[in-house]
Amino acid sequence: MDYADKEEFLKEFGEDYGYPNGPKSIDQIRATEFKRLENGTVYLDHAGATLYSELQMEAIFRDFTTNVYGNPHSQSDISLATCDIVRAAREQVLDYFNASMKDYKCIFTSGATAALKLVGEAFPWSHQSSYMYTMENHNSVLGIREYALSQGAAAFAIDVEEAVDNDGLSEGLVTSTKISLHPIQRRKGASFPERDPAGDAYNLFAFPSECNFSGSRFNLDLVNIMKKNPERILEISPFSKGRWMVLIDAAKGCVTQPPDLSKYPVDFVVMSFYKIFGYPTGLGALIMRNDAAKLLKNTYFSGGTVAASIADIDFVKRRQGVEELFEDGSASFLSIASIRHGFNLINSLTVPAICRHIASLGMYVRKVLLSLRHENGADVCTIYATYTSEVSYHDTGSMVSFNLKRPDGSWFGYREVEKLASLSGIQLRTGCFCNPGACAKYLGLSHSDLLSNIEAGHVCWDDNDIIHGKPTGAIRVSFGYMSTFEDAKKFIDFIRNSFVSFPNKSANGNLSRGGSSHFSPEGMERWLSVSKYVIKFITVYPIKSCAGFSVERWPLCSTGLLHDREWLLKSQTGEILTQKKVPEMCLISTYIDLNQEILVVKSPRCRDELPINLKPDSYNGGIDEIDLYGQRYEVLGYADEVNLWFSKAIGRPCSLLQCFSPKFRVCLNKRGDTVMCRDLESRLNFTNEAQFLLVSEESVSDLNSKLSSNTRKGIDGVTVKVNPMRFRPNLVVSGGEPYAEDRWRNLKIGNNCFTSLGGCNRCQMINFTHKDGQVQKSKEPLATLASYRRLKGKILFGILLRYDITELDTDSYLEVGQEVHVNPE
């Protein structure tokens, strides 16, 4: 690490970074409580879930192994003691929000989402009610809208301007707060009934204390405005009438700035504990004002929520305590007992110190990202946030959300960034972060854009990161109380090295980030002068994602090599299985005897090999249809004994299917556009994109030279060296310069002609190896390939080929040693 960079950082942020006045420095915290990060992992998704401390978990383990806890719904001594622990935990939660027990109650839930659902279900909605929420809200908050609309209430989103919290005490901010209303939504009736002049309707306003998309914080003065003088914001709108209640989603914001409920009389606050100190998961809380609790109605009753009930008549007497009334069933008392250990840790550092520490890292990353420029002077990074010039860096939040641009102004896809970050040991978050309103607002996506993206097949967590030239989401890095400058620096270095365009130093094999291949003139001249390439290896992979077998000579057919990728494995749920999800598939070896017409499979997990007859009379599973990569296939199934063998081989239930015929020869998405499959003119078996994959020995040799000079180490600390079979090629050729195949357009092998469909996009499957019957995974060679073979979000190695068949010749073969004649671009 460059120590000068850290010195500069400490000059600006040294008073706040690293807990200078705390019981431990940040370096001591990392060394004693987060040893599991010493493997080089950089965790930057604390807004999703922060990490638990190892000392915290040791304290919990000691607690659980020295004390006995029982169900609080019992009268035994142990159960009564457990009740005391739960009661103390409620007080600790209220203390965290500076809430008086006289005014508030703490209800434990399974998480912040469950707390929000409870409010939505139990709120006294009517046709005169309104549900108002800010555009920047988590889906779990938007979901309350369903309860409101189903009861005839109105629902509408708003944008809040100039509502960033400076110090929480500003008196002049009230007059500057403005809102703009989005369209009113109603599900029952087209007209809006007159408001009750008595103002008996109950309305709910929901907003986050901190936006989990941008990190922007909302001014908590909104609470007092909406509760005391809603007309100040809603003006003459009919929705200003009635009684307004306020809900704050503090799941993200309470980590560094929990709402002070002694100053802001919020009716409902929701939170999750794993966001604050990592463990326990599956536990949250609803902090609710006592007067608000009286208005909520919990329809369902369960053990713990009733004082008495009669089974065969309509009679139930509910408990009167707020906690007892809304906590259905037995509380998660062991999880509740563990939160005091988390709070002890946070209190030892103090929330203000944690806030300052985290903010210093966020501001540092934000400043560096904004300063990055490509070689042509174009900005590299667009950051999504709304801050006023008066906001100090302490109030800019713990996260940075952004997207990256190429020198020509086009966008890098966020999935490309996430995949490359993972290869570098950096864990971050991409997408919309379950906050569609903020995502659309900051990315400038209109309703037509959003609907068009959905029509194109885009859904949450897919790989459609760029549609019609626009990002569909963003990249987010977020920091926790244990994050370090070194974490931030490694992330910045990753962005610089992977996405910033510097003056090119051309070298054979490099692919420019701007979108075109480039070779040194000397290398290109040598490449063009070479005329002899020969086939060194031919490999057939009968079963998709399983091992193949090498041959000296093999027949061609309309789908490529005969029987190549003709079979696949399908799970009981209908999922097509590959090594990406079932790495053990690589342990299944295959061989086809054309004379005997059998496919033989072996596995170290199965005692006997399995011969499978290729003749039609061997099928006992009937004909079915499946979809694969947008293409529909008719498939043939096999008898139970075959499926049981494969289930044992991969350790999960599955069935073997054989391609009978593809019903369509093109790959279509929901809009009818061709997608994924680049080979649209020929028949395909169960291949991803094309009939053949070709790699060259020279390209593999060049990759190995880069791996040997690389500081990255592979499994067991041994320098990684790969052979061509790591890439699962059908054809391995030798001759010429490394990566000469990038420029091939057509090939002729014997009397057979082929067309290049371009480079093969590599995935993490090439990082899998097997040793002694075990599958092992490293970051290589994909990480090294990503450093010099990346083009428009793809990591290319090898080329895809289509067999240009005219009239099928039954004597068409490929043979090791044949010359390959190429026609370059």
Side-chain angles (χ1 to χ4, degrees):
M1 188 190 72
D2 188 346
Y3 290 99
D5 289 338
K6 188 167 187 178
E7 288 179 5
E8 283 297 314
F9 170 81
L10 292 175
K11 282 181 182 178
E12 184 171 1
F13 302 107
E15 292 184 1
D16 298 311
Y17 171 78
Y19 313 105
N21 300 315
K24 286 184 180 179
S25 69
I26 184 61
D27 292 335
Q28 291 172 322
I29 291 172
R30 283 292 285 263
T32 59
E33 302 185 37
F34 295 91
K35 301 187 197 106
R36 63 191 186 277
L37 298 179
E38 291 174 358
N39 63 0
T41 297
V42 175
Y43 184 82
L44 298 177
D45 188 24
H46 295 273
T50 199
L51 301 177
Y52 52 79
S53 158
E54 288 149 27
L55 294 185
Q56 170 193 356
M57 299 307 292
E58 289 173 9
I60 293 170
F61 183 74
R62 282 195 304 271
D63 184 353
F64 287 179
T65 53
T66 56
N67 295 302
V68 179
Y69 291 92
N71 192 322
H73 294 168
S74 180
Q75 297 299 308
S76 69
D77 290 344
I78 289 174
S79 295
L80 292 175
T82 302
C83 285
D84 291 337
I85 295 292
V86 172
R87 188 179 302 108
R90 296 189 203 278
E91 293 178 13
Q92 204 162 19
V93 173
L94 293 177
D95 287 342
Y96 189 74
F97 291 91
N98 201 16
S100 165
M101 294 182 65
K102 178 173 62 72
D103 298 321
Y104 285 91
K105 292 293 185 291
C106 170
I107 300 164
F108 287 115
T109 64
S110 63
T113 295
L116 291 164
K117 186 170 183 283
L118 191 159
V119 174
E121 288 178 336
F123 195 82
W125 304 108
S126 72
H127 69 279
Q128 293 181 328
S129 297
S130 296
Y131 177 47
M132 182 173 73
Y133 53 92
T134 56
M135 280 291 288
E136 297 95 327
N137 257 312
H138 195 279
N139 268 325
S140 298
V141 177
L142 300 187
I144 294 176
R145 181 176 65 191
E146 296 300 302
Y147 293 109
L149 293 175
S150 67
Q151 296 298 316
F156 54 94
I158 63 169
D159 287 308
V160 180
E161 301 175 11
E162 299 178 351
V164 180
D165 188 5
N166 289 327
D167 55 12
L169 300 174
S170 175
E171 294 292 331
L173 197 57
V174 172
T175 57
S176 64
T177 301
K178 300 177 181 178
I179 70 165
S180 56
L181 274 65
H182 287 255
I184 308 300
Q185 308 157 56
R186 274 195 188 275
R187 195 162 286 170
K188 292 184 178 181
S191 62
F192 304 116
E194 292 293 326
R195 309 296 286 190
D196 186 343
D200 290 337
Y202 291 99
N203 311 303
L204 183 63
F205 171 46
F207 69 97
S209 57
E210 180 180 338
C211 174
N212 77 320
F213 186 95
S214 67
S216 300
R217 290 197 174 104
F218 283 81
N219 189 330
L220 297 187
D221 280 342
L222 284 168
V223 176
N224 292 322
I225 295 172
M226 288 306 301
K227 289 183 70 66
K228 297 178 180 178
N229 191 9
E231 292 87 354
R232 196 71 176 240
I233 287 181
L234 294 172
E235 297 176 343
I236 60 173
S237 166
F239 302 106
S240 64
K241 304 297 183 182
R243 177 179 173 183
W244 277 94
M245 308 183 77
V246 179
L247 180 154
I248 289 182
D249 176 8
K252 175 63 191 73
C254 73
V255 176
T256 53
Q257 289 191 4
D260 186 342
L261 299 186
S262 69
K263 296 179 180 177
Y264 306 102
V266 186
D267 297 287
F268 312 101
V269 178
V270 302
M271 52 92 70
S272 287
F273 295 99
Y274 71 93
K275 301 275 189 180
I276 304 174
F277 35 72
Y279 183 88
T281 57
L283 183 69
L286 169 63
I287 296 92
M288 180 162 51
R289 284 190 67 86
N290 293 333
D291 55 352
K294 296 175 183 178
L295 301 175
L296 300 193
K297 182 180 180 181
N298 190 5
T299 303
Y300 177 77
F301 71 86
S302 65
T305 63
V306 295
S309 66
I310 300 177
D312 58 345
I313 64 172
D314 183 11
F315 176 84
V316 60
K317 179 178 176 61
R318 297 176 185 269
R319 293 187 181 274
Q320 297 302 306
V322 173
E323 300 96 332
E324 296 170 325
L325 186 60
F326 290 101
E327 288 179 356
D328 294 325
S330 297
S332 182
F333 55 89
L334 290 179
S335 292
I336 293 170
S338 71
I339 68 175
R340 64 191 176 102
H341 301 288
F343 276 123
N344 290 343
L345 185 153
I346 297 300
N347 292 337
S348 70
L349 296 173
T350 75
V351 172
I354 291 172
C355 179
R356 293 192 299 270
H357 170 79
I358 291 175
S360 67
L361 294 170
M363 179 56 77
Y364 167 72
V365 167
R366 193 173 294 109
K367 288 175 64 175
V368 175
L369 287 178
L370 288 174
S371 71
L372 295 178
R373 299 288 184 275
H374 289 294
E375 59 174 327
N376 63 357
D379 291 339
V380 173
C381 183
T382 296
I383 289 180
Y384 304 114
T386 303
Y387 303 121
T388 68
S389 59
E390 299 177 355
V391 175
S392 69
Y393 75 79
H394 298 150
D395 297 298
T396 56
S398 60
M399 70 180 72
V400 185
S401 293
F402 62 96
N403 271 313
L404 301 172
K405 283 188 173 183
R406 296 185 173 88
D408 63 3
S410 62
W411 298 97
F412 286 104
Y414 58 75
R415 285 290 289 138
E416 176 184 358
V417 179
E418 185 174 35
K419 291 174 183 177
L420 292 175
S422 181
L423 286 173
S424 298
I426 299 171
Q427 311 304 313
L428 43 75
R429 180 83 176 267
T430 63
C432 279
F433 324 129
C434 299
N435 196 326
C439 186
K441 175 180 177 178
Y442 287 104
L443 297 181
L445 299 174
S446 65
H447 287 165
S448 61
D449 290 330
L450 296 173
L451 293 173
S452 176
N453 291 349
I454 295 169
E455 181 66 20
H458 174 52
V459 295
C460 296
W461 304 340
D462 67 13
D463 287 341
N464 294 317
D465 49 12
I466 303 289
I467 298 180
H468 305 309
K470 291 183 178 182
T472 60
I475 306 141
R476 184 184 75 189
V477 294
S478 51
F479 299 95
Y481 74 84
M482 76 300 294
S483 298
T484 63
F485 170 80
E486 287 73 20
D487 293 335
K489 183 65 166 58
K490 185 174 180 180
F491 167 72
I492 289 295
D493 289 344
F494 158 71
I495 295 294
R496 277 200 180 106
N497 295 333
S498 302
F499 300 99
V500 180
S501 174
F502 298 107
N504 285 327
K505 296 180 181 179
S506 296
N508 197 16
N510 283 347
L511 296 174
S512 71
R513 296 176 191 142
S516 62
S517 303
H518 61 271
F519 298 85
S520 64
E522 298 82 8
M524 180 61 83
E525 184 177 345
R526 288 195 301 272
W527 173 70
L528 290 173
S529 68
V530 174
S531 59
K532 185 175 182 180
Y533 301 87
V534 297
I535 296 179
K536 291 296 294 291
F537 299 99
I538 300 172
T539 306
V540 182
Y541 303 89
I543 304 175
K544 183 178 180 65
S545 265
C546 294
F549 63 98
S550 294
V551 295
E552 290 293 313
R553 190 169 186 263
W554 199 257
L556 292 168
C557 67
S558 61
T559 57
L561 292 172
L562 183 64
H563 299 307
D564 187 58
R565 263 72 63 110
E566 193 169 312
W567 290 264
L568 57 71
L569 296 179
K570 185 181 75 168
S571 73
Q572 285 188 325
T573 60
E575 180 184 16
I576 305 304
L577 301 179
T578 67
Q579 281 189 39
K580 291 180 183 178
K581 293 187 177 180
V582 190
E584 295 79 7
M585 292 178 70
C586 72
L587 300 176
I588 299 176
S589 63
T590 60
Y591 176 71
I592 291 178
D593 188 321
L594 292 177
N595 293 324
Q596 298 187 38
E597 295 187 305
I598 59 171
L599 164 65
V600 180
V601 291
K602 300 179 182 180
S603 168
R605 296 182 173 183
C606 299
R607 183 180 63 182
D608 300 320
E609 65 182 34
L610 176 69
I612 301 173
N613 197 329
L614 303 183
K615 293 180 180 179
D617 59 8
S618 66
Y619 309 123
N620 295 306
I623 298 177
D624 197 1
E625 290 188 355
I626 63 169
D627 286 306
L628 182 65
Y629 307 126
Q631 187 167 234
R632 194 150 187 83
Y633 292 85
E634 285 186 345
V635 294
L636 300 171
Y638 283 84
D640 289 344
E641 57 266 25
V642 173
N643 296 329
L644 287 172
W645 189 96
F646 281 98
S647 298
K648 183 177 181 181
I650 67 171
R652 65 177 68 188
C654 67
S655 56
L656 180 70
L657 300 176
Q658 183 179 11
C659 180
F660 181 66
S661 68
K663 297 200 72 173
F664 307 105
R665 292 189 181 182
V666 297
C667 306
L668 306 174
N669 67 8
K670 294 181 180 179
R671 300 177 63 192
D673 300 325
T674 57
V675 295
M676 183 61 184
C677 171
R678 278 186 269 172
D679 188 350
L680 303 176
E681 300 180 15
S682 56
R683 285 189 57 193
L684 297 173
N685 283 337
F686 298 129
T687 56
N688 289 4
E689 296 187 82
Q691 294 174 329
F692 293 86
L693 170 62
L694 178 149
V695 301
S696 91
E697 285 190 326
E698 286 70 25
S699 298
V700 174
S701 178
D702 181 76
L703 169 61
N704 279 323
S705 70
K706 288 178 168 60
L707 287 168
S708 64
S709 64
N710 206 317
T711 56
R712 298 186 182 94
K713 296 294 181 180
I715 301 169
D716 298 327
V718 179
T719 301
V720 175
K721 185 175 182 179
V722 299
N723 66 43
M725 294 304 111
R726 178 75 77 93
F727 301 96
R728 297 177 60 83
N730 297 111
L731 305 176
V732 178
V733 300
S734 68
E737 292 289 313
Y739 313 104
E741 64 273 16
D742 288 342
R743 292 301 182 105
W744 294 355
R745 185 169 61 183
N746 304 106
L747 295 77
K748 188 173 184 181
I749 306 173
N751 294 322
N752 302 299
C753 297
F754 303 84
T755 296
S756 171
L757 302 176
C760 179
N761 184 24
R762 310 313 310 209
C763 67
Q764 295 198 15
M765 273 183 62
I766 65 175
N767 291 340
F768 296 150
T769 59
H770 56 91
K771 181 180 180 182
D772 300 327
Q774 298 295 319
V775 179
Q776 298 174 309
K777 181 181 177 182
S778 72
K779 296 177 182 178
E780 295 293 2
L782 192 60
T784 293
L785 284 174
S787 69
Y788 75 107
R789 294 287 301 170
R790 218 172 88 239
L791 183 66
K792 290 289 185 180
K794 298 180 178 180
I795 302 171
L796 303 178
F797 192 82
I799 60 172
L800 301 170
L801 301 178
R802 180 183 68 229
Y803 179 31
D804 296 329
I805 186 171
T806 51
E807 294 183 8
L808 185 60
D809 185 351
T810 56
D811 294 326
S812 293
Y813 278 82
L814 291 182
E815 190 169 354
V816 171
Q818 280 183 307
E819 287 194 17
V820 180
H821 301 279
V822 303
N823 177 26
E825 292 180 349

